[in-house]
Amino acid sequence: MVRARVHSQFVSLDGYSAGDYVTFDEPIGGAQALFGWFDGQGIEGIHAVDAPITLDRALFAMWGQGIGAEIMGRKKFGPQEGPWPDDGWRGWWGEEPPFKTPCFVLTHHPRESLEFDNGTSFHFVEASPDEALDQAISAANGLDVRIGGGPSTIRQFLAADLIDFMHVAIVPITLGTGVSLWEGISGIEDRFAIETIGSPSGLTHQLWNRTERG
């Protein structure tokens, strides 16, 4: 069974998972403190770690395992709003995006697909969560689909009851403002079996596994 998975989603103690704004100069706009806990080690698997393999790095390494496609919100791809400008923008990652799979970017404005030499492609779709997931499953060749964020996109998929697994990393800071992961979706925890693991780094990892649907 193909699963829809969320990985390495950082959340502050007060529930925020992104900043209030995104700009070319500040892609994390106001939420930089959330991501100071992540050094990038392990995102491509434990084999890519050239530092000690810690609990955090081992859990972050799940990000790419068994993933055949990703769905992301528009702001994860870039800061632009409205119709896409002819500015040559190809995403935050330059010519080597880390995904190496088809990625479906949710947007209300059409744009031609982009393809990269490392196997990453971006397809810009106007679709409901159900429709986007169907497209991603078709492209994933039997592997799982990652719901890559940001938090507003994850909330949409949680509200539609389409997420099977989440790895949430709770960071011991408060932001006071930002984009909440949980706003408007109270009670969703009843759908999941949740395991909590404390890390010596100060992070608290939560693994949410969807219980069997009735």
Side-chain angles (χ1 to χ4, degrees), residues 19 33 51 85 89 117 191 213:
W89 180 259
D117 291 341
R191 310 175 192 165
R213 291 166 173 78

Side-chain angles (χ1 to χ4, degrees), residues 8 18 23 36 48 75 83 96 99 109 112-114 120 137 147 159 161 182 205:
S8 304
T23 69
K75 286 297 178 64
E96 294 188 5
F99 309 101
H109 300 278
E112 292 293 321
S113 295
L114 299 173
T120 302
I137 289 173
I147 311 301
D161 198 17
W182 311 119
H205 297 275

Side-chain angles (χ1 to χ4, degrees), residues 38-204:
F38 178 56
D39 62 6
Q41 292 276 353
I43 196 169
E44 295 190 22
I46 287 297
H47 67 279
V49 174
D50 58 8
I53 297 174
T54 62
L55 171 64
D56 295 338
R57 290 174 180 141
L59 290 172
F60 294 146
M62 294 190 298
W63 179 87
Q65 294 178 4
I67 294 293
E70 168 156 334
I71 298 169
M72 66 177 69
R74 176 169 174 170
K75 286 297 178 64
K76 181 172 179 179
F77 179 81
Q80 302 92 338
E81 297 182 352
W84 292 95
D86 186 16
D87 60 0
W89 180 259
R90 289 167 64 82
W92 297 108
W93 311 275
E95 290 302 306
E96 294 188 5
F99 309 101
K100 301 179 182 179
T101 67
C103 299
F104 295 84
V105 181
L106 301 178
T107 175
H108 296 298
H109 300 278
R111 177 174 176 167
E112 292 293 321
S113 295
L114 299 173
E115 296 191 3
F116 294 79
D117 291 341
N118 70 353
T120 302
S121 57
F122 292 103
H123 309 280
F124 303 89
V125 298
E126 183 173 14
S128 68
D130 297 81
E131 292 166 342
L133 185 57
D134 284 344
Q135 292 184 51
I137 289 173
S138 295
N141 291 322
L143 298 177
D144 287 348
V145 173
R146 184 174 51 240
I147 311 301
S152 298
T153 297
I154 293 171
R155 281 204 315 267
Q156 291 179 47
F157 281 80
L158 284 169
D161 198 17
L162 295 175
I163 290 179
D164 299 296
F165 172 83
M166 287 199 301
H167 167 215
V168 175
I170 300 173
V171 182
I173 61 170
T174 57
L175 292 178
T177 185
V179 182
S180 171
L181 182 61
W182 311 119
E183 183 179 359
I185 51 172
S186 62
I188 60 160
E189 67 277 2
D190 295 337
R191 310 175 192 165
F192 294 84
I194 304 171
E195 297 182 15
T196 300
I197 308 166
S199 167
S201 70
L203 294 177
T204 300

